[in-house]
Amino acid sequence: MKRHARLLLLSLTATILAVAAISCRINFTLNGAPIDYNVYHTIHVSQFPIRAALVYPPLQQTFENELLDYINRNTRLQTTDGQSDLMLEGEITTYSLSPQAVTEDAYASQTRLTIGVRVKYTDTKNEKNNVDQTFTAYRDFDASQMLTDVQDELCQQISEELVDLIFNATLGNW
């Protein structure tokens, strides 16, 4: 009797697995970008000029390099200089400092560096995927430090976070 029960259970398990394999299609990517490469082949990433009131010139290059590197590492899209299947353009709209964590003697113990980027993402194959949005990120640093001493590192960290946010909202299609 036990043998029949085991055979029945084994047969039932095999049948369920076979049905599941036939009826289910698992689709995943290692980079989080659900791009149909049969449809999308190219992307154009324009320059992101700084339009903020306060300007730190190296920020533009830092941000653009991080964005292009991230797209190249996480997709198979070819970057182009002209018309493309996907277009990513925008501008750096915010670069600001603000005091944080004010102490009892009315001095700030922390300063916040905030960077904002307006992004226009155009999907030439499906306009419902288009995005026109501003992304912001910030880092706090000790007010006793000079901005010039921490600026490059903070801009790199903030650029990485912004690129991650932008990628997830556009090419990541979350």
Side-chain angles (χ1 to χ4, degrees), residues 80-164:
T80 65
D81 288 331
Q83 187 64 26
S84 298
D85 300 325
L86 303 167
M87 312 262 305
L88 200 54
E89 55 192 330
E91 58 192 5
I92 298 169
T93 57
T94 306
Y95 186 87
S96 64
L97 295 168
S98 58
Q100 302 293 311
V102 177
T103 62
E104 65 274 353
D105 57 359
Y107 289 105
S109 62
Q110 295 277 302
T111 302
R112 176 169 291 171
L113 173 61
T114 302
I115 298 174
V117 179
R118 180 175 176 261
V119 173
K120 183 177 180 191
Y121 170 77
T122 306
D123 181 338
T124 62
K125 309 284 185 181
N126 186 354
E127 68 181 38
K128 75 176 182 137
N129 292 333
N130 292 353
V131 173
D132 192 344
Q133 184 177 342
T134 298
F135 300 88
T136 60
Y138 64 87
R139 290 290 182 278
D140 294 339
F141 62 97
D142 194 273
S144 65
Q145 294 178 297
M146 296 294 296
L147 176 62
T148 54
D149 295 337
V150 296
Q151 195 164 217
D152 288 334
E153 181 182 342
L154 294 176
C155 286
Q156 181 64 43
Q157 292 173 4
I158 295 170
S159 291
E160 289 170 7
E161 182 177 341
L162 287 168
V163 165
D164 192 46

